[in-house]
Amino acid sequence: MSILHAEKIRKSYGNKFNRQEVLKGIDLKIEEGEFVGIMGASGSGKTTLLNVLSSIDKVSGGSIHIESNEMTAMKEKKLAEFRKRHLGFIFQDYNLLDTLTVKENVLLPLSITKTPKNEAMQRFDELAEELGIHEVKDKYPNEISGGQKQRTSAARAFIHEPSIIFADEPTGALDSKSASDLLNKLSEMNAKRKATIVMVTHDPAAASYCSRVVFIKDGRIYSQLMKGDQSRQSLFKDIIKTQGVLGGVQDEH
């Protein structure tokens, strides 16, 4: 079942005299429970695509449905409410509040939705154990490692059980061990919780954890790779080959 359906997505910047078209009519479906990676060379539009799919930015044309809700037709107030309840976010720079503990940061989305305290604590304990941050729950962000910060960010994204989680270069600020720890955890939670995850990355190793990898080139979908029954190592090799055809993939913001 499709949880996200984007049709003819266009995004332009500038004015009629100097317009840059970044997304050029993208069609994309994300199935419930998928772990989808989005890759592309610098300037390809991959980060812009994530931003419009997640409602951080508005489209210039086309429609985006999440669980039959047309986000592109929502007024700002309704969209903000939908975002709080149905979407989760993991950012490269963590976006944690320095004045709150790990536990308080993770529980923040539930305070907005007025979840009962007992239920909130139960959800936190389960997630903190799964993500390996229970022992640092009373520490502040400046007292923990980058890997622990990103796993805290992931716990915050999962805590309110959103329809879909958007991850923007979640391993970009991590060393290789912390990155693989995070990706293993996301992969496990994708399988265990049937969580739907859409991740932009420039790293083929990170993308190899996905069940499908979508490649963007010049504002259009260039190709897709399905993991299927193949190993992560095999998918990694296919990603490298596709990158070669695309002319290399660099970081993009």
Side-chain angles (χ1 to χ4, degrees), residues 50-58 79 83 89 91 166:
L50 187 84
N51 287 345
V52 297
L53 292 179
S54 62
S55 77
I56 289 174
D57 204 354
K58 291 188 175 181
L79 183 60
R83 193 186 294 125
F89 297 90
F91 299 100
F166 294 98

Side-chain angles (χ1 to χ4, degrees), residues 5-241:
H5 187 192
E7 290 185 288
K8 297 179 175 58
I9 295 302
R10 294 186 175 275
K11 179 63 182 178
S12 300
Y13 294 100
N15 55 42
K16 63 181 178 180
F17 303 108
N18 183 22
R19 184 174 297 278
Q20 181 189 10
E21 193 174 25
V22 181
L23 301 178
K24 304 172 182 177
I26 284 180
D27 294 323
L28 181 66
K29 282 187 179 180
I30 307 288
E31 301 300 314
E32 189 172 2
E34 270 197 296
F35 188 173
V36 177
I38 299 175
M39 301 191 80
S42 179
S44 62
K46 66 183 187 294
T47 298
T48 301
L49 178 61
L50 187 84
N51 287 345
V52 297
L53 292 179
S54 62
S55 77
I56 289 174
D57 204 354
K58 291 188 175 181
V59 298
S60 302
S63 64
I64 300 168
H65 290 79
I66 291 182
E67 285 192 323
S68 76
N69 297 282
E70 188 180 351
M71 294 202 308
T72 37
M74 287 182 188
K75 295 283 196 301
E76 194 55 49
K77 188 175 179 182
K78 188 177 179 185
L79 183 60
E81 191 64 28
F82 180 85
R83 193 186 294 125
K84 282 189 293 190
R85 294 181 179 276
H86 296 277
L87 307 182
F89 297 90
I90 306 173
F91 299 100
Q92 180 177 336
D93 57 359
Y94 321 126
N95 276 27
L96 300 176
L97 295 177
D98 292 334
T99 55
L100 300 181
T101 64
V102 164
K103 185 177 182 179
E104 289 165 343
N105 266 287
V106 173
L107 288 171
L108 203 55
L110 295 187
S111 66
I112 295 167
T113 57
K114 297 183 172 63
T115 303
K117 188 175 180 181
N118 287 349
E119 183 184 339
M121 290 304 119
Q122 184 179 345
R123 286 198 206 177
F124 171 79
D125 287 337
E126 287 176 6
L127 271 173
E129 287 293 346
E130 281 182 62
L131 285 161
I133 55 169
H134 207 278
E135 72 278 8
V136 297
K137 67 177 194 260
D138 296 319
K139 291 184 181 290
Y140 290 88
N142 66 349
E143 299 175 316
I144 61 177
S145 70
Q148 289 168 328
K149 286 178 186 176
Q150 197 57 296
R151 295 200 300 277
T152 299
S153 178
R156 183 185 57 192
F158 278 92
I159 192 79
H160 59 300
E161 299 174 350
S163 306
I164 188 164
I165 289 170
F166 294 98
D168 186 7
E169 298 280 8
T171 61
L174 304 179
D175 60 59
S176 57
K177 184 185 182 304
S178 297
S180 61
D181 285 348
L182 175 72
L183 290 161
N184 275 315
K185 295 294 186 187
L186 290 180
S187 188
E188 287 168 13
M189 294 173 82
N190 167 248
K192 179 182 174 182
R193 293 173 174 261
K194 300 292 185 285
T196 307
I197 305 171
V198 179
M199 175 177 73
V200 159
T201 182
H202 69 281
D203 182 0
S208 69
Y209 284 83
C210 299
S211 54
R212 175 164 56 120
V213 183
V214 178
F215 293 88
I216 307 294
K217 183 178 182 182
D218 299 330
R220 294 185 172 90
I221 291 179
Y222 172 77
S223 65
Q224 302 187 48
L225 292 174
M226 303 294 295
K227 184 176 184 182
D229 295 328
Q230 67 181 316
S231 67
R232 191 167 68 78
Q233 289 73 19
S234 179
L235 178 60
F236 174 79
K237 289 177 183 175
D238 287 344
I239 292 168
I240 295 291
K241 285 179 192 171

